Amino acid sequence: MAVVDGRQPLQQQNHPNKIRWGELEEDDADYYAYLLPPPVVIGPDENGVKKVIEYKFNDDGEKVKVTTTSRTRKLARARLSKKALERRKWPKFGDAVHEEVGNRLTMISTEEIILERPRAPGSKAEEATAPDALATVAKAGAVLMVCRICHKKGDHWTAQCPYKDLAAATADTFVDGPPSSESAAAPAPGARSGTYVPPGMRAGATSAGERSLPDRRRNDENSVRVTNLSEDTREPDLLELFRTFGPISRVYVAVDQKTGVSRGFGFVNFVSRGDAERAINKLNGYGYDNLILRVEWATPRAN
DNA sequence: GATGAGCGA
């Protein structure tokens, strides 16, 4: 007979269960319970206090006695603080006014509350969450949802775009690689108005294709400095935020070379100055990632 | 509070 750790089983006939010794496996929870006296429950007494005495093996294989004292729920309620009892007498408000909720302390509100979850410094940005059933359907692959304002995929429709009001001025002319008044006035060489210009040939397009980040090093004109960025805001995030105003030639976020942590500021270069100006006017003071952005003209970099 | 890289003639 296998006895683990040299322990001897209790006398079988003393145990209330009629389990035969050999029927229990070592990895069975009952295996060890079988070696211990059954738990004893005392009470509850007149104060609702209940004691449970159990025997267990600790991690070192030693037998220990565990006493748990608890108070039954009903009597615990009677011990609520005076303040808590007082609060229960408050008149109902909000949705609770219209419902018979009695003494219930909480109820489910139908009010829509948008919470922006703060992130611990250095933690990873969360995956985009689907805010509604439609988005869930889209994510399941039935529809590919792409916002025409900010181009974010599978998150929301154009009408629900968080940047909708920001982009109101550009939204109507916004086709992949949005032509602004200025950039439209300066089409790619050889292009006549009304002719199709492939995305890669449009003003502001990068050679690597429109899905890539704008070129890091070309064009220091129309440079906009963005400060007070949260440290997990990266270049793609800035691009998402600023591209609604017009074609962007470069996005840069200053990063500590040693730690790789964002230094909290960056630069966005617009193809056209007018777009940059509108971005500054609209986004300066804009709440982003729980911080208030500062967006202003950048002074040219000292070389 | 704050103004960005690195290549190699």
Side-chain angles (χ1 to χ4, degrees):
Chain A
M1 185 191 310
V3 178
V4 179
D5 297 338
R7 288 190 294 266
Q8 293 298 321
L10 297 182
Q11 286 301 305
Q12 197 168 328
Q13 55 270 34
N14 292 343
H15 201 279
N17 296 331
K18 285 272 163 36
I19 305 168
R20 296 230 321 274
W21 175 248
E23 289 171 358
L24 287 167
E25 300 291 333
E26 277 183 35
D27 54 355
D28 195 326
D30 289 336
Y31 176 83
Y32 291 112
Y34 190 81
L35 306 177
L36 296 164
V40 181
V41 181
I42 305 162
D45 64 11
E46 69 279 4
N47 291 320
V49 175
K50 187 170 89 170
K51 259 188 191 175
V52 179
I53 301 163
E54 316 167 80
Y55 299 88
K56 292 179 180 174
F57 288 113
N58 65 15
D59 291 342
D60 298 326
E62 296 158 338
K63 202 195 283 187
V64 291
K65 177 178 168 183
V66 181
T67 308
T68 315
T69 309
S70 60
R71 195 189 302 275
T72 59
R73 198 178 151 72
K74 216 174 175 179
L75 283 144
R77 280 184 89 180
R79 282 175 46 87
L80 280 173
S81 72
K82 275 188 185 164
K83 285 216 170 148
L85 290 167
E86 174 84 33
R87 283 198 293 273
R88 294 199 170 189
K89 292 177 189 145
W90 287 2
K92 302 290 178 206
F93 55 88
D95 289 343
V97 170
H98 310 293
E99 218 177 291
E100 188 42 61
V101 289
N103 274 335
R104 257 165 62 199
L105 288 175
T106 56
M107 62 176 294
I108 295 164
S109 171
T110 52
E111 196 183 336
E112 192 172 321
I113 300 163
I114 313 288
L115 294 177
E116 211 177 315
R117 212 184 309 186
R119 276 179 231 138
S123 67
K124 274 195 177 173
E126 284 174 39
E127 291 292 304
T129 50
D132 54 35
L134 254 180
T136 313
V137 171
K139 282 201 160 171
V143 195
L144 181 57
M145 179 164 48
V146 182
C147 171
R148 277 181 289 133
I149 293 174
C150 75
H151 290 210
K152 198 163 185 176
K153 294 192 178 91
D155 188 61
H156 55 259
W157 295 106
T158 308
Q160 271 86 47
C161 180
Y163 311 123
K164 188 171 55 168
D165 53 335
L166 288 173
T170 34
D172 51 339
T173 56
F174 201 89
V175 194
D176 285 341
S180 70
S181 48
E182 286 173 55
S183 55
R192 279 176 291 135
S193 65
T195 56
Y196 173 76
V197 180
M201 301 277 283
R202 287 174 200 163
T206 65
S207 55
E210 57 179 30
R211 296 217 56 205
S212 69
L213 231 44
D215 196 316
R216 275 174 138 252
R217 38 179 98 171
R218 219 174 306 156
N219 183 8
D220 255 354
E221 285 173 12
N222 309 322
S223 185
V224 173
R225 177 174 59 129
V226 190
T227 51
N228 212 28
L229 293 168
S230 70
E231 68 179 16
D232 42 29
T233 302
R234 292 303 158 122
E235 283 155 7
D237 308 312
L238 274 198
L239 177 61
E240 281 306 301
L241 185 62
F242 280 84
R243 66 185 302 178
T244 60
F245 298 96
I248 287 167
S249 56
R250 190 184 75 128
V251 179
Y252 177 88
V253 168
V255 165
D256 186 310
Q257 288 305 111
K258 249 183 164 175
T259 62
V261 176
S262 164
R263 292 167 64 190
F265 67 92
F267 297 88
V268 177
N269 292 54
F270 281 90
V271 171
S272 95
R273 189 171 177 86
D275 292 338
E277 198 165 345
R278 282 187 305 108
I280 291 170
N281 291 337
K282 288 281 194 174
L283 287 180
N284 188 30
Y286 184 74
Y288 184 70
D289 229 9
N290 75 26
L291 293 175
I292 308 291
L293 288 188
R294 256 173 67 184
V295 184
E296 48 214 321
W297 290 112
T299 57
R301 175 161 31 132
N303 207 2

